[in-house]
Amino acid sequence: KQILTTEAREKLAKIIRLVKPERAEQVENYVINAAQGGRLAGQVTEEQVKELLSNVAHQAQNKTKVTIKRRRPLYDDDDDDDDDEF
């Protein structure tokens, strides 16, 4: 039994896999897991594939946030004491 409609399969296989193969794989895995778990009511359409891709892209943006906190060194080379006159 086919999980994806012909249009959805073509979009996922030909267009998306060329541009973002990792996202295409994530959508495929989601669809397979949903089908195996009985969470799909019929075939997945092209519009549903677009929605899944949008969700995957949104999740990817949230995961790639990087925050760098820089600490000041405990001892700085530019100390204020005048012991450098030796």
Side-chain angles (χ1 to χ4, degrees), residues 54-78:
S54 176
N55 291 343
V56 168
H58 182 68
Q59 289 174 356
Q61 285 177 339
N62 290 342
K63 288 183 181 179
T64 57
K65 183 177 181 181
V66 176
T67 304
I68 298 174
K69 292 185 179 181
R70 299 184 187 264
R71 294 184 183 187
R72 295 187 64 190
L74 188 60
Y75 298 102
D76 195 343
D77 287 345
D78 297 331

Side-chain angles (χ1 to χ4, degrees), residues 28-70:
E28 287 175 349
N29 289 336
Y30 175 81
V31 170
I32 290 169
N33 288 334
Q36 289 174 345
R39 295 185 309 260
L40 290 181
Q43 290 185 321
V44 177
T45 65
E46 184 177 357
E47 288 301 316
Q48 290 170 318
V49 168
K50 288 179 186 178
E51 187 176 319
L52 289 170
L53 284 166
S54 176
N55 291 343
V56 168
H58 182 68
Q59 289 174 356
Q61 285 177 339
N62 290 342
K63 288 183 181 179
T64 57
K65 183 177 181 181
V66 176
T67 304
I68 298 174
K69 292 185 179 181
R70 299 184 187 264

Side-chain angles (χ1 to χ4, degrees), residues 3-16 27-28 43-50 53:
I3 299 172
L4 300 170
T5 63
T6 305
E7 297 83 14
R9 187 173 47 257
E10 287 176 4
K11 182 153 191 95
L12 193 59
K14 292 181 181 177
I15 299 170
I16 297 162
V27 169
E28 287 175 349
Q43 290 185 321
V44 177
T45 65
E46 184 177 357
E47 288 301 316
Q48 290 170 318
V49 168
K50 288 179 186 178
L53 284 166

